[in-house]
Amino acid sequence: MFHRALLVLEPDNPPDALIQSGLAMARACHAEVVFCTAMTRTRFAVADLRDPKVAAPGSSQDDQRFPAELLHAQARQLADRQGVSSRSVTATGNDPVRSIIDAALVSNCDLIVVASEKSN
């Protein structure tokens, strides 16, 4: 049994199954859900890319923040409709795994749920 679960959402991956599963577990345990997206501070060297224009739009945290905020808003609306208490956080750092763990610790989460359809 857990009291608070951190659900890691990635804007590039369809998170529907993760959100539905996480909300179902939270409902069963009368727990709160914290939606989290890790945003990296790492920048790619333009010299290493074939087309420098490809790197520019996705290189800033502002460009990462908008899709994450939109995704979190949609997830929180779904949680509200299902009667699950929720909030959202963004984790920033050079190491996304460490950032997620730190966000879970700061949010007092008992459980971290991560799923990805495009990578492991």
Side-chain angles (χ1 to χ4, degrees), residues 28-97:
C29 294
H30 305 288
E32 180 183 17
V33 171
V34 179
F35 297 108
C36 177
T37 298
M39 292 189 283
T40 182
R41 290 184 187 155
T42 305
R43 299 207 181 236
F44 297 104
V46 175
D48 292 343
L49 301 172
R50 292 192 310 211
D51 185 4
K53 294 178 186 174
V54 173
S59 62
S60 77
Q61 283 187 348
D62 290 336
D63 293 333
Q64 295 175 38
R65 189 171 306 281
F66 178 73
E69 288 175 354
L70 182 62
L71 179 60
H72 286 216
Q74 292 169 343
R76 294 197 61 202
Q77 286 177 352
L78 186 57
D80 287 343
R81 282 192 295 243
Q82 294 188 21
V84 176
S85 176
S86 69
R87 56 190 167 109
S88 62
V89 298
T90 53
T92 56
N94 293 330
D95 180 2
V97 174

Side-chain angles (χ1 to χ4, degrees), residues 16-30:
D16 297 336
L18 170 69
I19 294 171
Q20 292 296 343
S21 298
L23 292 177
M25 288 188 305
R27 249 190 347 268
C29 294
H30 305 288

